Amino acid sequence: MAGGGDLKVLGVWTSPFVIRVRIVLNLKGLAYEYVEEDLGNKSALLLGSNPVNKSVPVLLHGGRPVNESQVIIQYIDEVWAGAGPAVLPSDPYERAVARFWAAYVDDKVGSAWQGMLFRCNNEEERAEAVARAAEALQTLEGAFEECSKGKPFFGGDGIGFVDVVLGGYLGWFGAIDRIIGRKLIDPARTPLLAAWEERFRTTEVAKGIVPDDVDKVLAFLQTLLAIGSMK
Ligand SMILES: N[C@@H](CCC(=O)N[C@@H](CS)C(=O)NCC(=O)O)C(=O)O
Ligand SMILES: *[C@@H]1O[C@H](CO)[C@@H](O)[C@H](O)[C@H]1NC(C)=O
Ligand SMILES: *[C@@H]1O[C@H](CO)[C@@H](O)[C@H](O)[C@H]1NC(C)=O
Ligand SMILES: *[C@@H]1O[C@H](CO)[C@@H](O)[C@H](O)[C@H]1NC(C)=O
């Protein structure tokens, strides 16, 4: 693998934002050092690298920090344009479309994700956030048709920008499925996304990165709630 030695990721194993960056590094075949952060006791390296947001992921490339997961992914795609498949489409118009949907995911799905797990004070508030997530996923069902053009991924034949951005949440979706007693990505309402979820989870690049141990994720949720993270 290329990149060894000068790439480091500061992360948390359940973070949708960290997971998407690690999948892209796998996709590109880049070796990197992974450092697990404790959000209740952040390292001096994290605080020094991203003093404004103090959030993970941070990518350190030759010691220089790059922040914000979507920015990190675009940085990797640009610096290692020759390594592995392109994550963003090469056509500027299609690239704009991919950026639009990636922003939509973090805006709508991201806020519903926080509402379902971290910001709900009771089951009624959770149900309200689940409904918001379902509505966003319904819209993304249409986006999948638009972007994939009948192929397996938003990115077409292979995993692309929207795939990794949405795919980063799948570990938490498994935990939410358990909490609400049904699939958040409902195979009846969003059949294309339900099939995509299975396909994405089982790719070589996502395996071992997208958490599949629901008990472990739910236990981690309790630690996050205890330290008041993600509020
Ligand atoms: N917009 C940021 C979001 C990153 C983010 O929210 N990370 C969380 C972990 S999932 C974090 O580090 N939170 C800091 C904290 O809870 O103190 C990105 O895309 O990188
Ligand atoms: C916080 O992390 C530092 C090392 O980064 C460690 O020495 C210290 O014991 C930790 N504190 C707590 C309360 O976990
Ligand atoms: C990373 O974030 C810090 C503030 O937290 C900022 O000073 C720095 O310029 C950022 N670097 C990049 C590449 O985004
Ligand atoms: C982190 O910084 C970026 C750039 O300033 C901003 O868009 C984003 O909302 C910030 N995230 C958090 C969690 O503060």
Side-chain angles (χ1 to χ4, degrees), residues 63-139:
R64 287 199 302 173
V66 189
N67 333 300
E68 287 296 307
S69 60
Q70 290 201 21
V71 176
I72 295 171
I73 290 168
Q74 298 184 48
Y75 177 81
I76 295 168
D77 207 27
E78 287 168 13
V79 174
W80 289 278
V87 179
L88 274 296
S90 57
D91 176 71
Y93 187 79
E94 284 180 20
R95 200 150 68 228
V97 171
R99 286 182 175 131
F100 174 87
W101 287 117
Y104 179 88
V105 168
D106 273 353
D107 181 14
K108 303 292 190 219
V109 177
S111 67
W113 165 70
Q114 288 189 332
M116 288 185 285
L117 292 166
F118 306 104
R119 288 184 179 158
C120 49
N121 298 302
N122 51 54
E123 288 309 314
E124 206 179 321
E125 286 179 17
R126 196 198 307 277
E128 181 273 326
V130 168
R132 276 195 287 127
E135 200 184 315
L137 289 166
Q138 189 86 67
T139 301

Side-chain angles (χ1 to χ4, degrees), residues 37-38 40-45:
E37 286 286 338
D38 173 359
N41 180 20
K42 294 172 185 172
S43 73
L45 185 55

Side-chain angles (χ1 to χ4, degrees), residues 201-224:
R201 276 180 184 281
T202 51
T203 57
E204 273 315 307
V205 289
K207 254 189 265 169
I209 306 284
V210 174
D212 56 6
D213 184 338
V214 171
D215 293 315
K216 211 175 142 203
V217 173
L218 288 171
F220 193 74
L221 173 62
Q222 295 310 317
T223 26
L224 287 176

Side-chain angles (χ1 to χ4, degrees), residues 3-170:
D6 73 349
L7 282 178
K8 191 182 278 194
V9 173
L10 311 184
V12 168
W13 65 280
T14 56
S15 168
F17 314 103
V18 173
I19 289 165
R20 58 175 68 148
V21 166
R22 300 183 70 188
I23 291 174
V24 165
L25 288 165
N26 283 350
L27 209 54
K28 292 280 187 184
L30 297 167
Y32 64 98
E33 183 190 344
Y34 177 68
V35 181
E36 183 72 19
E37 286 286 338
D38 173 359
L39 290 180
N41 180 20
K42 294 172 185 172
S43 73
L45 185 55
L46 175 57
L47 297 173
S49 301
N50 189 358
V52 174
N53 282 16
K54 305 180 178 69
S55 58
V56 292
V58 169
L59 174 76
L60 291 150
H61 179 204
R64 287 199 302 173
V66 189
N67 333 300
E68 287 296 307
S69 60
Q70 290 201 21
V71 176
I72 295 171
I73 290 168
Q74 298 184 48
Y75 177 81
I76 295 168
D77 207 27
E78 287 168 13
V79 174
W80 289 278
V87 179
L88 274 296
S90 57
D91 176 71
Y93 187 79
E94 284 180 20
R95 200 150 68 228
V97 171
R99 286 182 175 131
F100 174 87
W101 287 117
Y104 179 88
V105 168
D106 273 353
D107 181 14
K108 303 292 190 219
V109 177
S111 67
W113 165 70
Q114 288 189 332
M116 288 185 285
L117 292 166
F118 306 104
R119 288 184 179 158
C120 49
N121 298 302
N122 51 54
E123 288 309 314
E124 206 179 321
E125 286 179 17
R126 196 198 307 277
E128 181 273 326
V130 168
R132 276 195 287 127
E135 200 184 315
L137 289 166
Q138 189 86 67
T139 301
L140 286 167
E141 177 84 354
F144 184 83
E145 254 191 301
E146 179 190 349
C147 297
S148 68
K149 302 185 183 85
K151 290 180 170 168
F153 296 101
F154 284 93
D157 289 316
I159 286 178
F161 195 43
V162 184
D163 294 286
V164 295
V165 167
L166 183 60
Y169 291 94
L170 290 177

